[in-house]
Amino acid sequence: MVYMLNKLKALFKNTYFNIFLILSLAGVVLFFTLKNDGKEVIQILSRISIPGLLFLVVLMVLEKVMLGWGLMLECRQSHPEYTWKQGIINAYVAGLFCNITPGASGGQVGQGYIFRKQGIPVTHSIGILWLDFIVYQSVMTLFVLFLILMRFSYYYTNYSQFFLIVIFGFMISSGIIFFLWLLASSPRFYTWITTTGISIGAKIHLVKDKEKTLENLERQLQMFSKEIVVLKTHRKMIAMLAVEDLLRLILYYSVPYWCALVLHIPIGPEKLLDVIALSSFVAMVNAFLPMPGSSGGTEATFILMFSTIFDRADAASIMILWRLVTFYQVLIIGGAVFLYAKSQKDIPIVPEEITPRTYSTEAMKEESK
């Protein structure tokens, strides 16, 4: 049994298998999508506006350009020579590895590899990725909370079959960042977790290796605490990163709205907020899907949710276009960018004592222009 589980884990770590799985699941979903409404869906897709399609592609490229800018801003704290181009390369590699690994688990691994090739030591890249995670997770949690509270009764009434899952996903997502903040800011809570909490977990078999869990928690908390110092002492930069993340979320979640317009499906501007909310709910549900790129479940969840404001054929058509521009485009461009980055010579790493991870005043002034 253990042997089989290990073989299965190894299989899911195989990039080629994951790509095959993504395409296979997409094919199955596409088959069932077109089974009953195939002619109508194809007819709707045939109405696509070519300039509109290019606009969608540019939107998603812009999203990665914005992420690259944010990574550049974070990296320039210790590496003032870090370029926007390097940040964009890192952003695309993150998107690629998030899409081809179960639970998007490989995104930061891919970023760490690229950071290393770009001359940033592991200790610095871990800090950068931690900071990026903290800011993004905090902004995303607050943004989704805003969307839920804006029209709670409406969403609960119209999407009750999904809304409880969405709320549960939101609680898990917000719970992670809240838990880390509480650990870092409350010595009493930290003491309880590292003594009583983990001991209870070990007794009820939730924690398999008590010592290893304590060691891992201590290491993660140290990294988190270091980034809290950055958050408190460089508020202007953090505000800029938060705005960048918010704009990226709005842009990404609004893509189905623009897909509808590009396909000439009637939709008014008053529906934009609902579309953004539904897109965020799809993302929340997908957080529970273990497949690479959440393939299969993403498409099905999207159609189920968006069928509440479009008819099924329209929702299926929007889903196909949305998935092409937000997922498969990233696979293609990300794959090409990764191959390019891999072929480049490694930039020598400067010893850490020469480039301590503190924010350069000159770099900050340059970025604020």
Side-chain angles (χ1 to χ4, degrees):
M1 184 69 176
V2 175
Y3 172 77
M4 288 297 294
L5 283 173
N6 289 335
K7 291 289 285 183
L8 235 123
K9 286 179 182 178
L11 192 62
F12 275 100
K13 288 180 180 178
N14 186 289
T15 300
Y16 297 107
F17 172 76
N18 285 335
I19 291 174
F20 169 76
L21 189 60
I22 288 167
L23 296 176
S24 300
L25 289 171
V28 170
V29 171
L30 192 61
F31 170 77
F32 284 106
T33 300
L34 299 177
K35 186 179 179 182
N36 298 320
D37 306 300
K39 289 183 179 179
E40 195 173 349
V41 169
I42 291 170
Q43 186 181 15
I44 294 168
L45 288 173
S46 68
R47 302 198 307 249
I48 190 169
S49 160
I50 300 303
L53 178 59
L54 292 174
F55 168 74
L56 291 174
V57 171
V58 169
L59 270 187
M60 295 317 301
V61 170
L62 177 62
E63 190 268 337
K64 286 292 179 283
V65 168
M66 291 168 66
L67 175 56
W69 177 84
L71 290 171
M72 177 191 70
L73 194 63
E74 292 169 288
C75 289
R76 284 195 173 182
Q77 60 177 301
S78 54
H79 295 75
E81 74 287 353
Y82 195 85
T83 66
W84 198 342
K85 177 186 173 182
Q86 288 176 310
I88 294 170
I89 288 172
N90 199 292
Y92 266 109
V93 170
L96 171 67
F97 280 87
C98 281
N99 286 352
I100 63 175
T101 52
S105 57
Q108 292 190 333
V109 175
Q111 285 182 282
Y113 170 76
I114 295 299
F115 275 137
R116 171 63 183 78
K117 287 189 70 67
Q118 293 171 340
I120 296 181
V122 174
T123 50
H124 288 190
S125 64
I126 290 173
I128 291 163
L129 293 174
W130 257 109
L131 180 62
D132 190 64
F133 169 78
I134 296 166
V135 178
Y136 177 79
Q137 191 77 6
S138 300
V139 171
M140 188 267 290
T141 299
L142 291 172
F143 183 54
V144 174
L145 178 62
F146 166 77
L147 292 172
I148 290 172
L149 294 179
M150 274 289 289
R151 301 179 69 187
F152 180 87
S153 59
Y154 174 78
Y155 294 138
Y156 184 77
T157 302
N158 290 276
Y159 313 119
S160 57
Q161 64 270 50
F162 317 111
F163 203 60
L164 290 179
I165 301 175
V166 171
I167 294 295
F168 185 63
F170 170 76
M171 289 173 65
I172 296 270
S173 179
S174 56
I176 292 170
I177 198 71
F178 177 74
F179 177 76
L180 289 171
W181 276 103
L182 193 58
L183 272 178
S185 59
S186 173
R188 290 180 65 184
F189 182 68
Y190 171 73
T191 303
W192 185 89
I193 283 292
T194 54
T195 54
T196 310
I198 289 179
S199 296
I200 292 172
K203 286 179 182 178
I204 62 178
H205 304 293
L206 288 176
V207 175
K208 292 182 180 180
D209 189 329
K210 182 179 176 181
E211 296 304 319
K212 189 175 179 180
T213 302
L214 281 168
E215 183 183 339
N216 184 56
L217 179 64
E218 178 66 28
R219 184 169 60 252
Q220 298 297 331
L221 187 61
Q222 283 177 1
M223 290 305 306
F224 186 80
S225 298
K226 287 179 181 178
E227 302 316 313
I228 293 297
V229 174
V230 176
L231 289 170
K232 290 179 178 178
T233 55
H234 301 280
R235 294 179 183 178
K236 182 180 177 180
M237 188 200 70
I238 298 305
M240 293 165 72
L241 290 173
V243 170
E244 172 253 319
D245 282 333
L246 179 60
L247 291 175
R248 283 201 302 121
L249 286 170
I250 293 172
L251 189 153
Y252 184 83
Y253 290 153
S254 67
V255 170
Y257 177 84
W258 304 114
C259 286
L261 292 179
V262 167
L263 293 171
H264 303 288
I265 296 171
I267 184 171
E270 73 282 356
K271 288 291 183 182
L272 179 58
L273 184 62
D274 288 336
V275 168
I276 290 174
L278 283 177
S279 295
S280 72
F281 297 165
V282 170
M284 284 291 163
V285 174
N286 288 346
F288 296 97
L289 302 176
M291 301 300 338
S294 301
S295 290
T298 294
E299 293 87 348
T301 303
F302 185 98
I303 293 173
L304 284 170
M305 286 200 174
F306 278 87
S307 291
T308 56
I309 57 176
F310 300 101
D311 65 41
R312 185 175 174 80
D314 286 342
S317 303
I318 293 169
M319 180 277 293
I320 292 171
L321 182 56
W322 168 76
R323 196 67 166 153
L324 281 173
V325 298
T326 61
F327 183 79
Y328 292 102
Q329 181 198 189
V330 174
L331 276 184
I332 295 167
I333 299 179
V337 168
F338 177 69
L339 291 176
Y340 165 77
K342 195 175 180 182
S343 68
Q344 300 301 297
K345 290 183 179 179
D346 291 7
I347 297 174
I349 290 178
V350 179
E352 291 185 40
E353 60 269 17
I354 298 176
T355 57
R357 193 167 183 270
T358 54
Y359 282 86
S360 160
T361 305
E362 290 76 13
M364 285 298 294
K365 286 180 180 177
E366 182 68 24
E367 289 311 312
S368 64
K369 289 181 182 179

